[in-house]
Amino acid sequence: ASVATRLRDLVAERRRNTGKSLGDIFTHFDREGRGSFGLSELLDALESLCVPVNVPEAKELLRWTARDGFDNVSFGEFATFVE
C-alpha cells in the first residue's frame, strides 16, 4: 500500500482504538507546536508510529497533503487528507 493509504489507515485505527481526536493525532505530527508540520516532523512521527517511509515517499506525501503549495501541512489540510 502507498504511504498515503498507510497513513489514512493508521489515523483511522488510532481514532477507533484509542478514542483520540484528530487534533490529538495531529499534535503527534506537529511536535514543535507551530500549527503545521514539515518533512522532518513527518518523518519522525511516521517512524515513531512504525510506518516505514523513505524521504522521497515523505516528500510525495507532503505534496499531496499540503494543498497550499508549501511544504508544511496545517491541521485543516491534515484533516482533509486523512478523512
Side-chain angles (χ1 to χ4, degrees), residues 10-30:
L10 176 70
V11 169
E13 178 185 320
R14 293 280 169 154
R15 290 178 79 185
R16 210 175 26 253
N17 294 341
T18 66
K20 289 190 175 195
S21 71
L22 195 54
D24 291 335
I25 295 169
F26 178 79
T27 301
H28 183 78
F29 288 82
D30 179 25

Side-chain angles (χ1 to χ4, degrees), residues 15-81:
R15 290 178 79 185
R16 210 175 26 253
N17 294 341
T18 66
K20 289 190 175 195
S21 71
L22 195 54
D24 291 335
I25 295 169
F26 178 79
T27 301
H28 183 78
F29 288 82
D30 179 25
R31 293 190 176 177
E32 295 177 10
R34 295 178 297 129
S36 64
F37 61 86
L39 181 61
S40 64
E41 288 173 294
L42 175 62
L43 287 166
D44 290 345
L46 291 175
E47 181 181 330
S48 74
L49 296 169
C50 299
V51 176
V53 61
N54 60 40
V55 172
E57 289 174 320
K59 285 182 178 179
E60 182 67 21
L61 186 57
L62 281 179
R63 278 193 288 279
W64 276 95
T65 311
R67 299 291 179 176
D68 60 7
F70 296 102
D71 287 336
N72 288 305
V73 178
S74 68
F75 174 74
E77 291 167 328
F78 181 76
T80 298
F81 182 75

